[in-house]
Amino acid sequence: MPATTLDDLDRSLLQRFLRADTPEADQLRKLHLSASEHGQLGLSISGVLLLTPNPTQWLGNAYVQCVCYSGTERDAHDQLDAADCTGPLDQQINDALAFVRRNMRLAATKTIGRQDLPQYDLGAVFEAIVNAVAHRDYSMTGRRIRLHMFVDRLELYSPGALPNSLSLDGLMENTVTRNETIVNLLSRYYNAREEAGRQALIERRCEGVPKIIKASEALSGKRPEYRLVDDDELLLIIYAASKDVQDE
């Protein structure tokens, strides 16, 4: 990343990667967190995204825009909540999930004991946000991840077309990684939130998309949809559950 130096990294963010038996500079290089250009040593794009407190200083759209609307359409007059989730990638993921948690509605049944009925399966939402952050195209300018909540659905837009030969039909069975370094580091050095039901932030077993589909459909009765928008943006729609569906 031009105009960066190793002084730009936050040492508290670096600690998880360091081993006592290997020089720090060698570890940064081997993990592809640093890079050199024309003899100048600085941070790689992955280094900026994972090791700096404000990646938008260099990558202006490297954040998650979250908006919650009261209705079914985008209308600035109907906004209930909005937040830009910035910071290193793991913080963006956690903050975006927290946004969904605080804005989704809970219904309740009046059977024996109270049973809360969430609009979304938070494990599925977590998978969706992780996938968007890990696999988006960071080379695209003017595009950010957008997470928009409506009364009946959640929409998640991730910049970039599907990588290589991956198709929408193949999402359930295959994983093609655009950002190999980011995916590798998130899977090795970062723990997942409790909602994920696993230890690593990413598990590379092609289980993320099936979990999103199956868990969301089981809760709402409607299958989530993946769409390509203008061939350069991936949209995931997760439909909200309702008490009526749960009572069927």
Side-chain angles (χ1 to χ4, degrees):
M1 177 61 65
T4 63
T5 71
L6 297 188
D7 291 334
D8 292 313
L9 64 82
D10 185 324
R11 300 205 63 81
S12 66
L13 299 174
L14 175 64
Q15 291 307 308
R16 72 175 71 234
F17 299 104
L18 295 182
R19 295 173 49 185
D21 59 349
T22 307
E24 181 178 302
D26 291 346
Q27 293 181 71
L28 287 169
R29 177 177 53 81
K30 290 178 180 179
L31 294 174
H32 305 288
L33 292 168
S34 66
S36 60
E37 184 177 37
H38 306 304
Q40 178 67 40
L41 183 64
L43 296 173
S44 66
I45 292 176
S46 298
V48 166
L49 292 169
L50 296 173
L51 297 181
T52 67
N54 184 21
T56 56
Q57 180 177 346
W58 296 277
L59 296 165
N61 293 288
Y63 66 95
V64 183
Q65 177 199 70
C66 298
V67 184
C68 180
Y69 298 94
S70 61
T72 60
E73 304 294 335
R74 292 181 186 84
D75 188 331
H77 298 292
D78 291 334
Q79 285 190 18
L80 298 176
D81 192 10
D84 289 339
C85 301
T86 59
L89 295 189
D90 60 316
Q91 180 180 323
Q92 293 184 32
I93 292 168
N94 290 331
D95 289 351
L97 184 66
F99 182 90
V100 175
R101 179 193 289 278
R102 74 172 179 261
N103 282 291
M104 74 176 185
R105 301 175 182 179
L106 291 175
T109 60
K110 294 182 179 180
T111 55
I112 300 174
R114 176 188 173 92
Q115 181 181 3
D116 289 333
L117 304 174
Q119 280 187 303
Y120 304 103
D121 182 289
L122 286 178
V125 173
F126 178 81
E127 293 287 351
I129 295 170
V130 168
N131 284 352
V133 168
H135 298 298
R136 66 157 288 183
D137 188 344
Y138 285 97
S139 69
M140 296 181 69
T141 59
R143 295 289 185 92
R144 64 194 67 80
I145 295 171
R146 294 177 290 147
L147 190 161
H148 292 174
M149 297 178 67
F150 303 90
V151 69
D152 61 344
R153 71 194 186 280
L154 180 155
E155 295 184 352
L156 185 62
Y157 294 82
S158 181
L162 292 172
N164 301 325
S165 59
L166 189 62
S167 67
L168 289 174
D169 292 336
L171 283 173
M172 285 285 286
E173 305 295 336
N174 301 290
T175 296
V176 178
T177 300
R178 174 182 282 113
N179 305 308
E180 181 63 35
T181 295
I182 292 173
V183 171
N184 180 49
L185 296 178
L186 291 179
S187 68
R188 292 173 57 192
Y189 294 97
Y190 292 82
N191 292 329
R193 292 177 60 103
E194 180 181 356
E195 293 87 350
R198 62 167 185 265
Q199 183 175 355
L201 190 65
I202 293 179
E203 287 188 354
R204 311 185 66 173
R205 298 186 299 199
C206 301
E207 295 178 353
V209 171
K211 179 176 181 178
I212 294 168
I213 299 293
K214 293 174 183 177
S216 299
E217 186 172 15
L219 184 64
S220 71
K222 296 187 68 174
R223 186 179 179 87
E225 298 179 26
Y226 280 96
R227 301 175 186 172
L228 276 177
V229 181
D230 297 330
D231 292 327
D232 60 7
E233 193 171 38
L234 182 63
L235 165 62
L236 168 62
I237 303 173
I238 300 178
Y239 294 98
S242 67
K243 182 177 179 296
D244 292 338
V245 172
Q246 294 285 347
D247 287 342
E248 289 179 357

